[in-house]
Amino acid sequence: MQIVTLLQDSRVHLSCEIFPPKESARVEAFKQVVHDIAALRPAYVSVTYGAAGNTPQFTRELAQAVQAAGVPALAHLTCINDTVSKIGDVLGDLEAAGVTNVLALRGDIPEGMGFPQGDHFEHAAELVAYVKQRGGFCVGAACYPEGHPEAGNRAADLDHLKQKVDAGVDFLTTQMFFDNATLYNFMYRALNAGITVPIGAGVMPVVNAKQIKRIAALSGATLPARFWSIVDRFGADPAAMRQAGVAYATEQIIDLIANGVNNIHLYTMNRADVAQDVFRNLGSIISTQPPQGAQ
Ligand code: FAD
């Protein structure tokens, strides 16, 4: 199933993200997480690549496990650390395993190093073009409602995003954001720039205070005052913080759906229990019919 086909209809789609463990010994046990998340019947489950030091093989194995559980899988693929020929091999292995949706990413530049020299792509747009030219894959890419942290300004970042979409992107997934107004503003600017592919809005339930510094550092996402009030009040009480974090994400999602954003990607961070709570909170809302006349 091509993920873009799914995202184009007018129903609400809630997808989830998992990241594979670093050690092969834990991959087998991790399949329980896959099983529990797949049981929620998300639109698809995406599996990250390399971000936690894991190997392409783990991404592929878990993507296969997701599909074996009856849910479409989206395998992430970064190009910063791999040569073009290695990327060709990874794509060949994915295709042979029946995984034909990829999220084409650059990856983060390793700290203290510049772009690797030699047979490498510098930007995700080049990877997108390469995968599309090769054929056989539905290709997603990343976008940043607040601008990518390396971009000089949001206008330049949007120009680069348009180039990436023009290279053949089928759909986009956003970086996480905590204020829906940021997303609505981005959707407007993207449409104005001629970007019409489906955009999945990335929502992360923050369920413990420890995650917060890491999120701000890694994603560059702004945390609104309303969010900080929750952390100040409940951050020291794990059970209360978890409940408040799930409620915050649930509210964000309800507001998105009410405002016509039907594709939502949950950064579940391997927390099947958190995904279960969010899905439970949204039970009737996910299956709601679009209003008459909606596309
Ligand atoms: P690009 O689209 O190449 O953009 C990177 C920067 O380069 C931007 O600032 C852009 O404005 C600029 N740029 C683009 N084109 C040009 C150009 N022609 N000239 C000058 N500047 C240009 N990382 C992982 O390691 N593994 C993962 O699995 C993973 N999954 C992710 C999933 C999502 C949904 C998101 C949002 C991010 C994910 N990341 C992952 C992080 C991602 O790799 C980093 O954010 C990375 O720094 C940028 O990747 P990109 O694909 O957006 O890069």
Side-chain angles (χ1 to χ4, degrees), residues 49-51 75-84 87 102-116 119-129 131 139-144 147-152 157 160-161 164 169 172-173 175 218-219:
Y49 184 92
H76 294 201
L77 174 62
T78 66
C79 60
I80 191 92
N81 289 314
D82 292 334
T83 61
V84 175
I87 288 167
V102 292
L103 192 73
L105 301 145
R106 187 197 67 183
D108 285 319
I109 301 169
E111 218 165 292
M113 297 163 70
F115 281 108
D119 186 24
H120 281 85
F121 296 131
E122 277 201 15
H123 300 294
E126 294 162 56
L127 176 62
V128 169
V131 183
V139 181
C143 61
Y144 303 82
H148 183 266
E150 284 166 37
D157 199 41
H160 297 145
L161 180 62
K164 187 156 69 173
V169 167
L172 293 165
T173 306
Q175 182 57 282
L218 285 182
S219 70

Side-chain angles (χ1 to χ4, degrees), residues 20-191:
K22 282 184 192 166
E23 306 89 26
S24 59
R26 291 181 50 218
V27 170
E28 227 18 73
F30 191 81
K31 289 186 180 165
Q32 184 62 43
V33 174
V34 170
H35 173 270
D36 292 348
I37 290 185
L40 299 169
R41 312 316 295 167
Y44 67 88
V45 173
S46 74
V47 188
T48 66
Y49 184 92
N54 56 278
T55 75
Q57 186 196 330
F58 298 169
T59 300
R60 188 184 69 242
E61 272 186 38
L62 290 179
Q64 272 184 290
V66 167
Q67 296 199 155
V71 175
L74 172 65
H76 294 201
L77 174 62
T78 66
C79 60
I80 191 92
N81 289 314
D82 292 334
T83 61
V84 175
S85 97
K86 165 88 187 288
I87 288 167
D89 291 345
V90 173
L91 287 168
D93 289 344
L94 283 172
E95 198 173 31
V99 178
T100 55
N101 294 287
V102 292
L103 192 73
L105 301 145
R106 187 197 67 183
D108 285 319
I109 301 169
E111 218 165 292
M113 297 163 70
F115 281 108
Q117 298 300 306
D119 186 24
H120 281 85
F121 296 131
E122 277 201 15
H123 300 294
E126 294 162 56
L127 176 62
V128 169
Y130 174 80
V131 183
K132 288 311 276 191
Q133 199 181 1
R134 180 194 181 281
F137 288 90
C138 170
V139 181
C143 61
Y144 303 82
E146 297 183 64
H148 183 266
E150 284 166 37
N153 57 63
R154 290 193 310 175
D157 199 41
L158 197 61
D159 284 346
H160 297 145
L161 180 62
K162 178 71 165 73
Q163 286 167 21
K164 187 156 69 173
V165 171
D166 289 347
V169 167
D170 294 303
F171 67 95
L172 293 165
T173 306
T174 78
Q175 182 57 282
M176 62 190 74
F177 57 90
F178 296 90
D179 179 351
N180 288 357
T182 309
L183 192 270
Y184 300 139
N185 176 280
F186 170 73
M187 299 281 258
Y188 172 76
R189 288 185 297 113
L191 198 59

Side-chain angles (χ1 to χ4, degrees), residues 205-219:
V206 177
V207 291
N208 65 64
K210 257 196 349 215
Q211 288 174 313
I212 294 159
K213 267 196 191 143
R214 209 175 124 72
I215 288 165
L218 285 182
S219 70

